[in-house]
Amino acid sequence: MAGFYLHIPFCRQACYYCNFHFSTSLAAMDEMVQAMQMEIQMHASAWNKHHFESLYFGGGTPSLLSEKHLHALLETIYANYDIDPLAEITLEANPDDMTPDKLRLWKLAGINRLSIGVQTLSNNLLRALHRSHDARQATASIQLALDAGFENISADLIYGIPGLTDAYWVDEIKQLLALQIPHLSCYALTIEPRTALDHLIRKQKFPQVDDEQIARQYLMLLDIMESAGYEPYEISSFARPGFRSRHNSKYWQGVPYLGIGPSAHSYQPPYRRWNIAHNAKYIQSIQQQQLPYEEECLTITMQYNEYVMLRLRTMEGVYVQEMGNLFGSGYVQYFQQQIQPWIHSHHVVCQEMHYVLSREGRLFADRIAASLFMTDEETQIKV
């Protein structure tokens, strides 16, 4: 089992909060798609033993792809890899790109899951974040997708935005639930270094993010989604039974995945690779038959740390028996020792050697995980 990710590094305009790699110039789209086709072919022999159960077009803005470009990429993948006939094939889409014609073309191409970048249903906040769509387009795009026969639909929402009141946040969630979509991905507004939003805050042209607002609105989200029958299967992800993101779940489960395109990451244990985050250099390197990546080999301790960080984000949490099978008893003993304060503070719940974050513990997931990490020096002493 493996996942296949394609990074489409183009956007119509730059959202102020985004730190993903992209370009707002679409002039090199043809060359980029051709280079990605070549990279797909160049990796084929190294990944020929893997069976791929998910394809994911991310970005950037994959909904900018033309029919010709989308078909070219899919045809190259299917010609070179073992793709499951029932693979989940996701395309991230902006509401302003979604038309009946495009939706029909995506469906004919084999796209069977859409991830729609709604972010908020407030026109004022959409403008503040420099999004390219309005609230009417957001809800209309979901209805268009449903009318086109898409059943597996996810929408992204952002909470903790300055100016987003608790009452409006609840209303946004309920508006999307009323559309009967089976999946929501909800993220706290994060100020990433060197983004436009970071610059605006430093210049006091955008309010500071309020951590108390973020915590309060996340707990409100949990209550509403669980009451509506959605599984909080990962900290930011909520799904009706049977509609979890199969592709994203592979990341949290430590399953191998292949990333194509500039800035895309790949994971083939124990190796992690990441492509250069520069469109022109990526294209030039591929044209010269050189894969433009850096690589690291994860030590057993690094793998343990990633396992803890990723598993704790999920509702299944950490199973001690699985940890022992993967890393050995020394790591289990260290984990169980380090996690005791979080159990005593009721941020972690332990049931039959199965550790999961409590409702309040989800607010501190990164801090909890970091406290459980081990350094290579500690490994030599304790394991």
Side-chain angles (χ1 to χ4, degrees):
M1 299 185 297
F4 204 114
Y5 174 80
L6 298 99
H7 187 81
I8 310 302
F10 299 103
C11 292
R12 292 192 199 281
Q13 67 183 44
C15 301
Y16 286 160
Y17 56 86
C18 181
N19 71 334
F20 292 118
H21 171 67
F22 66 91
S23 169
T24 54
S25 171
L26 308 185
M29 180 73 84
D30 284 341
E31 283 186 297
M32 178 60 68
V33 170
Q34 290 168 10
M36 291 177 68
Q37 287 181 269
M38 292 176 65
E39 188 189 1
I40 291 167
Q41 294 168 334
M42 292 165 74
H43 284 295
S45 61
W47 288 79
N48 61 6
K49 294 182 180 179
H50 289 280
H51 180 69
F52 290 85
E53 294 185 322
S54 66
L55 304 179
Y56 195 103
F57 288 86
T61 311
S63 51
L64 290 175
L65 287 170
S66 68
E67 179 185 9
K68 178 185 74 173
H69 291 144
L70 180 59
H71 278 282
L73 291 168
L74 285 169
E75 287 170 4
T76 307
I77 293 169
Y78 276 93
N80 288 277
Y81 295 84
D82 176 20
I83 307 298
D84 193 288
L86 300 178
E88 174 192 87
I89 307 178
T90 302
L91 184 136
E92 291 182 350
N94 276 359
D96 46 316
D97 292 326
M98 296 173 63
T99 65
D101 285 343
K102 269 206 167 181
L103 286 157
R104 183 167 55 252
L105 292 172
W106 293 341
K107 199 161 184 64
L108 288 172
I111 305 299
N112 53 32
R113 184 175 184 272
L114 294 176
S115 177
I116 304 174
V118 173
Q119 314 310 356
T120 176
L121 294 176
S122 162
N123 283 325
N124 288 337
L125 295 181
L126 286 168
R127 284 191 292 269
L129 297 176
H130 206 232
R131 291 291 294 172
S132 59
H133 68 274
D134 60 30
R136 182 198 60 80
Q137 288 174 310
T139 52
S141 68
I142 295 173
Q143 191 59 57
L144 285 173
L146 291 168
D147 293 343
F150 284 93
E151 297 178 355
N152 199 350
I153 298 173
S154 178
D156 288 355
L157 279 179
I158 301 176
Y159 57 92
I161 309 170
L164 176 63
T165 66
D166 291 350
Y168 197 82
W169 172 233
V170 170
D171 186 61
E172 284 187 328
I173 301 168
K174 291 184 175 179
Q175 283 188 62
L176 291 184
L177 293 183
L179 291 169
Q180 300 295 307
I181 59 174
H183 192 284
L184 283 182
S185 294
C186 302
Y187 306 98
L189 181 64
T190 303
I191 311 305
E192 301 291 351
R194 296 182 295 280
T195 59
L197 196 56
D198 180 42
H199 176 75
L200 290 170
I201 290 174
R202 291 177 185 275
K203 295 290 184 179
Q204 297 184 338
K205 295 181 178 180
F206 193 93
Q208 290 281 354
V209 172
D210 181 352
D211 290 339
E212 290 186 6
Q213 177 191 351
I214 287 174
R216 187 174 64 251
Q217 291 183 350
Y218 180 72
L219 295 177
M220 294 165 69
L221 170 70
L222 273 181
D223 289 340
I224 296 169
M225 298 305 290
E226 290 182 328
S227 295
Y230 287 69
E231 296 176 328
Y233 71 101
E234 188 269 342
I235 285 177
S236 302
S237 306
F238 302 82
R240 286 180 177 170
F243 284 94
R244 295 187 183 192
S245 169
R246 286 159 54 189
H247 182 84
N248 289 341
S249 293
K250 294 185 184 305
Y251 298 149
W252 306 318
Q253 294 164 0
V255 174
Y257 53 88
L258 171 61
I260 301 293
S263 80
H265 284 59
S266 301
Y267 181 54
Q268 200 170 21
Y271 293 95
R272 185 180 309 288
R273 291 181 174 182
W274 55 96
N275 284 347
I276 188 172
H278 191 289
N279 285 6
K281 291 180 180 178
Y282 168 82
I283 292 171
Q284 182 181 30
S285 181
I286 293 293
Q287 288 174 342
Q288 296 171 354
Q289 295 292 310
Q290 298 292 324
L291 290 169
Y293 67 85
E294 294 183 60
E295 180 180 78
E296 66 176 345
C297 181
L298 303 183
T299 65
I300 190 69
T301 297
M302 293 166 71
Q303 293 178 60
Y304 157 83
N305 290 343
E306 286 205 0
Y307 172 89
V308 169
M309 177 183 68
L310 295 173
R311 287 299 201 282
L312 276 180
R313 291 188 64 88
T314 68
M315 66 183 291
E316 285 77 23
V318 172
Y319 287 93
V320 165
Q321 183 175 350
E322 180 183 54
M323 178 184 284
N325 292 339
L326 289 171
F327 307 109
S329 61
Y331 285 91
V332 171
Q333 292 170 9
Y334 179 81
F335 173 86
Q336 291 179 314
Q337 176 186 350
Q338 295 299 110
I339 207 167
Q340 288 306 312
W342 297 109
I343 294 174
H344 294 152
S345 64
H346 306 292
H347 289 90
V348 173
V349 177
C350 176
Q351 296 177 337
E352 298 179 354
M353 296 298 99
H354 171 213
Y355 297 84
V356 296
L357 297 178
S358 67
R359 184 173 180 272
E360 289 71 23
R362 284 174 160 244
L363 297 171
F364 303 95
D366 291 342
R367 188 186 305 177
I368 294 170
S371 73
L372 304 171
F373 290 169
M374 184 183 288
T375 65
D376 286 324
E377 290 76 15
E378 287 175 315
T379 304
Q380 297 173 6
I381 298 171
K382 299 178 180 179
V383 177

